[in-house]
Amino acid sequence: MTGTGEKTLSAEGVALGLIAGAAAGGGAVAVEAYLLLAVFGWVGGPAPTPEAFVQALIFGFGLIVYIGPIAGVVFAIGLVIVGLPAWALLHALQWRSRRAAMAAGAVLAAATTGVLTLANSSLGSAALFALLLFMPGAAAGWALHRTSYGRAP
């Protein structure tokens, strides 16, 4: 699937795209962690009552404030080290569609997370963490494309 060749980039567009991608990826990780902690904190408690669910939601919201900025910084580092070369390659190959950016973000975030986790953990843990980073990677790719290329599909 190739995009249209008329999409051009500027240095400002690249910089803003990286910032937007890091923010979207970090935010998606924080929301994902929040939802997982809220659901498993509620279900894993002594008795899944409505009060326990509200407590889990409140506790999870506090973690968003902590996890979001850290995940954003990690995404920014990953975008510079892994994302920029991949973006340059996709751009040179005329693969400039939003779908291509989302697919590349999802695959690169999952693969990078899986490889880095596998270096210190089991295959099952690496696969789980890779799966969890699939959606945040797609969100980062979407935001990067939308910011850098504009409204074009």
Side-chain angles (χ1 to χ4, degrees):
M1 167 177 63
T2 60
T4 58
E6 68 267 2
K7 295 179 186 173
T8 59
L9 286 173
S10 65
E12 180 185 358
V14 170
L16 291 174
L18 291 174
I19 292 168
V29 167
V31 169
E32 194 174 71
Y34 170 66
L35 293 174
L36 288 171
L37 288 170
V39 169
F40 288 116
W42 177 53
V43 173
T49 64
E51 294 83 16
F53 184 66
V54 170
Q55 288 175 341
L57 288 175
I58 292 169
F59 175 72
F61 184 75
L63 288 176
I64 283 182
V65 176
Y66 175 71
I67 292 173
I70 293 171
V73 170
V74 172
F75 254 92
I77 293 167
L79 280 169
V80 169
I81 294 172
V82 178
L84 269 178
W87 186 7
L89 178 64
L90 290 173
H91 189 81
L93 293 173
Q94 305 280 324
W95 284 39
R96 301 175 187 175
S97 70
R98 190 162 293 138
R99 285 184 184 165
M102 290 173 66
V107 169
L108 290 172
T112 303
T113 302
V115 168
L116 292 176
T117 305
L118 189 58
N120 296 314
S121 190
S122 68
L123 181 61
S125 294
L128 175 65
F129 281 114
L131 205 76
L132 289 174
L133 266 286
F134 209 78
M135 290 304 288
W142 181 90
L144 188 144
H145 184 279
R146 176 68 173 86
T147 304
S148 300
Y149 293 110
R151 290 188 181 266

PDB file of all heavy atoms in Angstrom, residues 101-130:
ATOM      1  N   ALA A 101       1.699   4.627   8.554  1.00  0.00           N
ATOM      2  CA  ALA A 101       2.308   5.171   9.771  1.00  0.00           C
ATOM      3  C   ALA A 101       1.817   4.432  11.013  1.00  0.00           C
ATOM      4  O   ALA A 101       2.594   4.117  11.917  1.00  0.00           O
ATOM      5  CB  ALA A 101       2.000   6.660   9.884  1.00  0.00           C
ATOM      6  N   MET A 102       0.519   4.143  11.053  1.00  0.00           N
ATOM      7  CA  MET A 102      -0.038   3.427  12.201  1.00  0.00           C
ATOM      8  C   MET A 102       0.491   1.996  12.270  1.00  0.00           C
ATOM      9  O   MET A 102       0.836   1.506  13.354  1.00  0.00           O
ATOM     10  CB  MET A 102      -1.559   3.432  12.131  1.00  0.00           C
ATOM     11  CG  MET A 102      -2.168   4.794  12.370  1.00  0.00           C
ATOM     12  SD  MET A 102      -3.953   4.834  12.102  1.00  0.00           S
ATOM     13  CE  MET A 102      -4.508   3.765  13.412  1.00  0.00           C
ATOM     14  N   ALA A 103       0.558   1.327  11.126  1.00  0.00           N
ATOM     15  CA  ALA A 103       1.073  -0.040  11.101  1.00  0.00           C
ATOM     16  C   ALA A 103       2.541  -0.074  11.511  1.00  0.00           C
ATOM     17  O   ALA A 103       2.960  -0.929  12.312  1.00  0.00           O
ATOM     18  CB  ALA A 103       0.896  -0.648   9.712  1.00  0.00           C
ATOM     19  N   ALA A 104       3.320   0.863  10.981  1.00  0.00           N
ATOM     20  CA  ALA A 104       4.739   0.908  11.347  1.00  0.00           C
ATOM     21  C   ALA A 104       4.901   1.203  12.830  1.00  0.00           C
ATOM     22  O   ALA A 104       5.717   0.569  13.515  1.00  0.00           O
ATOM     23  CB  ALA A 104       5.463   1.968  10.516  1.00  0.00           C
ATOM     24  N   GLY A 105       4.122   2.145  13.357  1.00  0.00           N
ATOM     25  CA  GLY A 105       4.206   2.457  14.787  1.00  0.00           C
ATOM     26  C   GLY A 105       3.854   1.264  15.652  1.00  0.00           C
ATOM     27  O   GLY A 105       4.547   0.965  16.631  1.00  0.00           O
ATOM     28  N   ALA A 106       2.792   0.564  15.292  1.00  0.00           N
ATOM     29  CA  ALA A 106       2.369  -0.596  16.073  1.00  0.00           C
ATOM     30  C   ALA A 106       3.420  -1.702  16.040  1.00  0.00           C
ATOM     31  O   ALA A 106       3.812  -2.244  17.084  1.00  0.00           O
ATOM     32  CB  ALA A 106       1.035  -1.116  15.541  1.00  0.00           C
ATOM     33  N   VAL A 107       3.891  -2.030  14.847  1.00  0.00           N
ATOM     34  CA  VAL A 107       4.858  -3.124  14.705  1.00  0.00           C
ATOM     35  C   VAL A 107       6.198  -2.766  15.364  1.00  0.00           C
ATOM     36  O   VAL A 107       6.783  -3.575  16.079  1.00  0.00           O
ATOM     37  CB  VAL A 107       5.046  -3.490  13.217  1.00  0.00           C
ATOM     38  CG1 VAL A 107       6.221  -4.419  13.020  1.00  0.00           C
ATOM     39  CG2 VAL A 107       3.769  -4.100  12.674  1.00  0.00           C
ATOM     40  N   LEU A 108       6.667  -1.530  15.135  1.00  0.00           N
ATOM     41  CA  LEU A 108       7.954  -1.137  15.715  1.00  0.00           C
ATOM     42  C   LEU A 108       7.903  -1.048  17.237  1.00  0.00           C
ATOM     43  O   LEU A 108       8.840  -1.471  17.922  1.00  0.00           O
ATOM     44  CB  LEU A 108       8.425   0.186  15.123  1.00  0.00           C
ATOM     45  CG  LEU A 108       8.859   0.128  13.657  1.00  0.00           C
ATOM     46  CD1 LEU A 108       9.117   1.532  13.129  1.00  0.00           C
ATOM     47  CD2 LEU A 108      10.092  -0.748  13.494  1.00  0.00           C
ATOM     48  N   ALA A 109       6.813  -0.511  17.791  1.00  0.00           N
ATOM     49  CA  ALA A 109       6.693  -0.432  19.252  1.00  0.00           C
ATOM     50  C   ALA A 109       6.623  -1.829  19.860  1.00  0.00           C
ATOM     51  O   ALA A 109       7.294  -2.116  20.858  1.00  0.00           O
ATOM     52  CB  ALA A 109       5.461   0.378  19.649  1.00  0.00           C
ATOM     53  N   ALA A 110       5.828  -2.707  19.247  1.00  0.00           N
ATOM     54  CA  ALA A 110       5.707  -4.073  19.764  1.00  0.00           C
ATOM     55  C   ALA A 110       7.027  -4.835  19.630  1.00  0.00           C
ATOM     56  O   ALA A 110       7.465  -5.501  20.580  1.00  0.00           O
ATOM     57  CB  ALA A 110       4.589  -4.808  19.035  1.00  0.00           C
ATOM     58  N   ALA A 111       7.655  -4.734  18.478  1.00  0.00           N
ATOM     59  CA  ALA A 111       8.904  -5.467  18.263  1.00  0.00           C
ATOM     60  C   ALA A 111      10.023  -4.959  19.174  1.00  0.00           C
ATOM     61  O   ALA A 111      10.750  -5.764  19.777  1.00  0.00           O
ATOM     62  CB  ALA A 111       9.328  -5.352  16.797  1.00  0.00           C
ATOM     63  N   THR A 112      10.156  -3.651  19.285  1.00  0.00           N
ATOM     64  CA  THR A 112      11.207  -3.095  20.141  1.00  0.00           C
ATOM     65  C   THR A 112      10.976  -3.485  21.592  1.00  0.00           C
ATOM     66  O   THR A 112      11.910  -3.895  22.290  1.00  0.00           O
ATOM     67  CB  THR A 112      11.243  -1.554  20.006  1.00  0.00           C
ATOM     68  OG1 THR A 112      11.448  -1.228  18.633  1.00  0.00           O
ATOM     69  CG2 THR A 112      12.355  -0.955  20.833  1.00  0.00           C
ATOM     70  N   THR A 113       9.736  -3.377  22.050  1.00  0.00           N
ATOM     71  CA  THR A 113       9.419  -3.758  23.424  1.00  0.00           C
ATOM     72  C   THR A 113       9.665  -5.242  23.644  1.00  0.00           C
ATOM     73  O   THR A 113      10.233  -5.628  24.666  1.00  0.00           O
ATOM     74  CB  THR A 113       7.948  -3.427  23.747  1.00  0.00           C
ATOM     75  OG1 THR A 113       7.761  -2.032  23.538  1.00  0.00           O
ATOM     76  CG2 THR A 113       7.593  -3.790  25.156  1.00  0.00           C
ATOM     77  N   GLY A 114       9.259  -6.058  22.696  1.00  0.00           N
ATOM     78  CA  GLY A 114       9.471  -7.493  22.822  1.00  0.00           C
ATOM     79  C   GLY A 114      10.938  -7.862  22.907  1.00  0.00           C
ATOM     80  O   GLY A 114      11.342  -8.648  23.764  1.00  0.00           O
ATOM     81  N   VAL A 115      11.750  -7.283  22.054  1.00  0.00           N
ATOM     82  CA  VAL A 115      13.188  -7.589  22.052  1.00  0.00           C
ATOM     83  C   VAL A 115      13.849  -7.115  23.338  1.00  0.00           C
ATOM     84  O   VAL A 115      14.636  -7.840  23.957  1.00  0.00           O
ATOM     85  CB  VAL A 115      13.869  -6.969  20.807  1.00  0.00           C
ATOM     86  CG1 VAL A 115      15.380  -7.020  20.926  1.00  0.00           C
ATOM     87  CG2 VAL A 115      13.408  -7.685  19.547  1.00  0.00           C
ATOM     88  N   LEU A 116      13.536  -5.885  23.762  1.00  0.00           N
ATOM     89  CA  LEU A 116      14.146  -5.361  24.983  1.00  0.00           C
ATOM     90  C   LEU A 116      13.695  -6.130  26.218  1.00  0.00           C
ATOM     91  O   LEU A 116      14.478  -6.346  27.137  1.00  0.00           O
ATOM     92  CB  LEU A 116      13.838  -3.874  25.139  1.00  0.00           C
ATOM     93  CG  LEU A 116      14.496  -2.957  24.113  1.00  0.00           C
ATOM     94  CD1 LEU A 116      14.031  -1.522  24.310  1.00  0.00           C
ATOM     95  CD2 LEU A 116      16.013  -3.045  24.190  1.00  0.00           C
ATOM     96  N   THR A 117      12.438  -6.551  26.251  1.00  0.00           N
ATOM     97  CA  THR A 117      11.943  -7.331  27.383  1.00  0.00           C
ATOM     98  C   THR A 117      12.534  -8.730  27.373  1.00  0.00           C
ATOM     99  O   THR A 117      12.871  -9.276  28.428  1.00  0.00           O
ATOM    100  CB  THR A 117      10.398  -7.406  27.363  1.00  0.00           C
ATOM    101  OG1 THR A 117       9.883  -6.087  27.314  1.00  0.00           O
ATOM    102  CG2 THR A 117       9.868  -8.107  28.592  1.00  0.00           C
ATOM    103  N   LEU A 118      12.700  -9.306  26.201  1.00  0.00           N
ATOM    104  CA  LEU A 118      13.255 -10.652  26.083  1.00  0.00           C
ATOM    105  C   LEU A 118      14.688 -10.709  26.596  1.00  0.00           C
ATOM    106  O   LEU A 118      15.133 -11.734  27.103  1.00  0.00           O
ATOM    107  CB  LEU A 118      13.188 -11.125  24.628  1.00  0.00           C
ATOM    108  CG  LEU A 118      13.532 -12.581  24.358  1.00  0.00           C
ATOM    109  CD1 LEU A 118      12.618 -13.502  25.168  1.00  0.00           C
ATOM    110  CD2 LEU A 118      13.404 -12.887  22.885  1.00  0.00           C
ATOM    111  N   ALA A 119      15.402  -9.599  26.519  1.00  0.00           N
ATOM    112  CA  ALA A 119      16.782  -9.572  27.011  1.00  0.00           C
ATOM    113  C   ALA A 119      16.843  -9.786  28.519  1.00  0.00           C
ATOM    114  O   ALA A 119      17.869 -10.244  29.033  1.00  0.00           O
ATOM    115  CB  ALA A 119      17.430  -8.237  26.651  1.00  0.00           C
ATOM    116  N   ASN A 120      15.762  -9.469  29.239  1.00  0.00           N
ATOM    117  CA  ASN A 120      15.766  -9.572  30.699  1.00  0.00           C
ATOM    118  C   ASN A 120      14.670 -10.462  31.262  1.00  0.00           C
ATOM    119  O   ASN A 120      14.488 -10.504  32.475  1.00  0.00           O
ATOM    120  CB  ASN A 120      15.599  -8.171  31.316  1.00  0.00           C
ATOM    121  CG  ASN A 120      16.757  -7.278  30.975  1.00  0.00           C
ATOM    122  OD1 ASN A 120      17.898  -7.692  31.074  1.00  0.00           O
ATOM    123  ND2 ASN A 120      16.466  -6.060  30.564  1.00  0.00           N
ATOM    124  N   SER A 121      13.908 -11.126  30.411  1.00  0.00           N
ATOM    125  CA  SER A 121      12.749 -11.856  30.902  1.00  0.00           C
ATOM    126  C   SER A 121      12.472 -13.067  30.017  1.00  0.00           C
ATOM    127  O   SER A 121      13.225 -13.360  29.096  1.00  0.00           O
ATOM    128  CB  SER A 121      11.538 -10.911  30.933  1.00  0.00           C
ATOM    129  OG  SER A 121      10.479 -11.504  31.615  1.00  0.00           O
ATOM    130  N   SER A 122      11.341 -13.707  30.292  1.00  0.00           N
ATOM    131  CA  SER A 122      10.968 -14.897  29.534  1.00  0.00           C
ATOM    132  C   SER A 122      10.267 -14.519  28.229  1.00  0.00           C
ATOM    133  O   SER A 122       9.854 -13.378  28.033  1.00  0.00           O
ATOM    134  CB  SER A 122      10.029 -15.769  30.372  1.00  0.00           C
ATOM    135  OG  SER A 122       8.795 -15.103  30.547  1.00  0.00           O
ATOM    136  N   LEU A 123      10.103 -15.489  27.378  1.00  0.00           N
ATOM    137  CA  LEU A 123       9.425 -15.279  26.103  1.00  0.00           C
ATOM    138  C   LEU A 123       7.963 -14.881  26.323  1.00  0.00           C
ATOM    139  O   LEU A 123       7.438 -14.016  25.623  1.00  0.00           O
ATOM    140  CB  LEU A 123       9.513 -16.543  25.244  1.00  0.00           C
ATOM    141  CG  LEU A 123       8.868 -16.476  23.866  1.00  0.00           C
ATOM    142  CD1 LEU A 123       9.525 -15.391  23.021  1.00  0.00           C
ATOM    143  CD2 LEU A 123       8.961 -17.819  23.167  1.00  0.00           C
ATOM    144  N   GLY A 124       7.319 -15.479  27.314  1.00  0.00           N
ATOM    145  CA  GLY A 124       5.929 -15.143  27.597  1.00  0.00           C
ATOM    146  C   GLY A 124       5.764 -13.696  28.033  1.00  0.00           C
ATOM    147  O   GLY A 124       4.852 -13.001  27.591  1.00  0.00           O
ATOM    148  N   SER A 125       6.650 -13.219  28.902  1.00  0.00           N
ATOM    149  CA  SER A 125       6.591 -11.819  29.341  1.00  0.00           C
ATOM    150  C   SER A 125       6.867 -10.879  28.188  1.00  0.00           C
ATOM    151  O   SER A 125       6.214  -9.842  28.045  1.00  0.00           O
ATOM    152  CB  SER A 125       7.608 -11.568  30.454  1.00  0.00           C
ATOM    153  OG  SER A 125       7.273 -12.293  31.603  1.00  0.00           O
ATOM    154  N   ALA A 126       7.849 -11.228  27.363  1.00  0.00           N
ATOM    155  CA  ALA A 126       8.182 -10.386  26.217  1.00  0.00           C
ATOM    156  C   ALA A 126       7.003 -10.299  25.254  1.00  0.00           C
ATOM    157  O   ALA A 126       6.677  -9.217  24.752  1.00  0.00           O
ATOM    158  CB  ALA A 126       9.415 -10.930  25.500  1.00  0.00           C
ATOM    159  N   ALA A 127       6.344 -11.422  25.013  1.00  0.00           N
ATOM    160  CA  ALA A 127       5.188 -11.429  24.115  1.00  0.00           C
ATOM    161  C   ALA A 127       4.034 -10.608  24.696  1.00  0.00           C
ATOM    162  O   ALA A 127       3.369  -9.858  23.973  1.00  0.00           O
ATOM    163  CB  ALA A 127       4.730 -12.861  23.847  1.00  0.00           C
ATOM    164  N   LEU A 128       3.818 -10.708  26.005  1.00  0.00           N
ATOM    165  CA  LEU A 128       2.751  -9.946  26.637  1.00  0.00           C
ATOM    166  C   LEU A 128       3.016  -8.447  26.542  1.00  0.00           C
ATOM    167  O   LEU A 128       2.139  -7.672  26.156  1.00  0.00           O
ATOM    168  CB  LEU A 128       2.597 -10.350  28.102  1.00  0.00           C
ATOM    169  CG  LEU A 128       1.592  -9.534  28.907  1.00  0.00           C
ATOM    170  CD1 LEU A 128       0.177  -9.757  28.380  1.00  0.00           C
ATOM    171  CD2 LEU A 128       1.676  -9.892  30.375  1.00  0.00           C
ATOM    172  N   PHE A 129       4.222  -8.020  26.879  1.00  0.00           N
ATOM    173  CA  PHE A 129       4.540  -6.600  26.806  1.00  0.00           C
ATOM    174  C   PHE A 129       4.507  -6.091  25.365  1.00  0.00           C
ATOM    175  O   PHE A 129       4.085  -4.961  25.111  1.00  0.00           O
ATOM    176  CB  PHE A 129       5.893  -6.303  27.455  1.00  0.00           C
ATOM    177  CG  PHE A 129       5.822  -6.249  28.949  1.00  0.00           C
ATOM    178  CD1 PHE A 129       6.467  -7.200  29.723  1.00  0.00           C
ATOM    179  CD2 PHE A 129       5.103  -5.254  29.585  1.00  0.00           C
ATOM    180  CE1 PHE A 129       6.391  -7.151  31.102  1.00  0.00           C
ATOM    181  CE2 PHE A 129       5.021  -5.192  30.958  1.00  0.00           C
ATOM    182  CZ  PHE A 129       5.668  -6.148  31.726  1.00  0.00           C
ATOM    183  N   ALA A 130       4.940  -6.910  24.423  1.00  0.00           N
ATOM    184  CA  ALA A 130       4.873  -6.513  23.014  1.00  0.00           C
ATOM    185  C   ALA A 130       3.418  -6.319  22.596  1.00  0.00           C
ATOM    186  O   ALA A 130       3.089  -5.340  21.925  1.00  0.00           O
ATOM    187  CB  ALA A 130       5.551  -7.569  22.140  1.00  0.00           C
TER     188      ALA A 130
END
